[in-house]
Amino acid sequence: MLRHGNLKELLSDKGRNNFARGCEHQGPKKPPSPACTINKIIGGGGDASINGVNFTTTHKLKRSITHERYDKLEESNIFDESDTDGLTFPHKDALVITLRILDTDVKCIMVDDGSGACIIHPRVLTQMILDDKIVLRCITLTGFNNAVERMLGEITFLVLVSSVTLETTFHIMDQAIAYNSIVGRPWIHLMRDIPSSLYQVIKFPTP
C-alpha cells in the first residue's frame, strides 16, 4: 500500500527516509503488461518474399527494443561482432521490431530510415478497436518512383519504448504492405536511435 502512495502519513520521518531509500534501489518501474498482442501472418510457401524480405527469416528477427534515454551523448554508438550473436550472414532482411502502442504490443513493425512518414495498416486499428479515432484528412505520400498514394487519414498514438513514451502520428495506408506498420525518420529522429539492418538491432545514446 505504501508503494501505491497510501498510509504515508502514518510513517515517522525516519520511516519515510528508509522507505524512500528502498524505492531508489528498486530501479525504474516496469511498464504494465500489454492488454493484447497483434501478430502478422503471411500466407504462401516458405520462399514467399516481398521487397527482398524473406518472411521465414523476418519472423525470427523481430524483437522488442529497450533503452535508457539521456539528454547528452557522451559515448559513440558502434556496431561490432558482439551484435551478430544469433545472426546468419549474409542476409538481406529488413530491421523488424515490436513496439508497445498504447496498451498493445504490435509486432512486425519495420524501421525504415528511408521513409519520411510513419505508416500503419488499418487492420491494426481494427484489432485495437480504434477505427473511430481516425482523423480523416486528404493526405498523399510520394514513393521513390514518384507514385502517389492517398492515405485514409491519420491517427496519433502514445508509443512506449522502455521508459520513454513518445506521441507519434501515423498515416493510415490500406495497401498490400508486408508489415503492420513502418516507422520512419520522424520517429527515429525524435527517439535519437541508430538503426542497423545489417546487425538487426537499434542502439540509443548512453552516458
Side-chain angles (χ1 to χ4, degrees), residues 76-180:
S76 297
N77 284 305
I78 61 173
F79 298 90
D80 54 35
E81 291 184 359
S82 64
D83 297 302
T84 63
D85 184 37
L87 292 180
T88 301
F89 288 97
H91 73 78
K92 55 180 180 178
D93 300 296
L95 177 57
V96 182
I97 62 175
T98 297
L99 288 178
R100 177 75 59 84
I101 298 179
L102 295 179
D103 61 349
T104 301
D105 278 351
V106 180
K107 299 184 178 182
C108 202
I109 296 179
M110 183 175 76
V111 179
D112 182 10
D113 58 5
S115 175
C118 296
I119 298 169
I120 195 166
H121 198 280
R123 63 172 168 257
V124 178
L125 307 180
T126 299
Q127 292 186 59
M128 295 176 69
I129 317 178
L130 291 174
D131 298 289
D132 59 338
K133 303 297 182 182
I134 296 174
V135 178
L136 299 178
R137 288 185 181 171
C138 183
I139 303 168
T140 57
L141 295 180
T142 303
F144 70 93
N145 60 348
N146 285 329
V148 176
E149 297 286 351
R150 186 177 297 276
M151 303 294 104
L152 297 180
E154 66 181 25
I155 189 167
T156 300
F157 292 119
L158 292 178
V159 179
L160 173 65
V161 183
S162 186
S163 60
V164 177
T165 301
L166 180 66
E167 190 174 73
T168 306
T169 298
F170 290 84
H171 299 296
I172 303 162
M173 176 185 285
D174 190 8
Q175 298 290 337
I177 59 176
Y179 308 96
N180 283 324

Side-chain angles (χ1 to χ4, degrees), residues 46-66:
D47 295 330
S49 66
I50 297 179
N51 295 333
V53 180
N54 186 293
F55 297 109
T56 57
T57 53
T58 299
H59 176 76
K60 69 179 181 181
L61 290 170
K62 61 181 182 285
R63 61 187 66 185
S64 297
I65 54 177
T66 59

Side-chain angles (χ1 to χ4, degrees), residues 11-81:
L11 288 173
S12 64
D13 291 340
K14 183 178 180 180
R16 288 194 186 93
N17 292 334
N18 290 336
F19 178 73
R21 282 196 296 270
C23 290
E24 290 175 359
H25 293 302
Q26 291 177 359
K29 292 182 179 179
K30 293 182 179 180
S33 299
C36 63
T37 297
I38 294 178
N39 297 287
K40 176 70 169 69
I41 299 174
I42 302 294
D47 295 330
S49 66
I50 297 179
N51 295 333
V53 180
N54 186 293
F55 297 109
T56 57
T57 53
T58 299
H59 176 76
K60 69 179 181 181
L61 290 170
K62 61 181 182 285
R63 61 187 66 185
S64 297
I65 54 177
T66 59
H67 78 288
E68 293 291 338
R69 183 183 174 102
Y70 297 89
D71 292 332
K72 294 182 179 180
L73 177 62
E74 299 179 3
E75 182 179 335
S76 297
N77 284 305
I78 61 173
F79 298 90
D80 54 35
E81 291 184 359

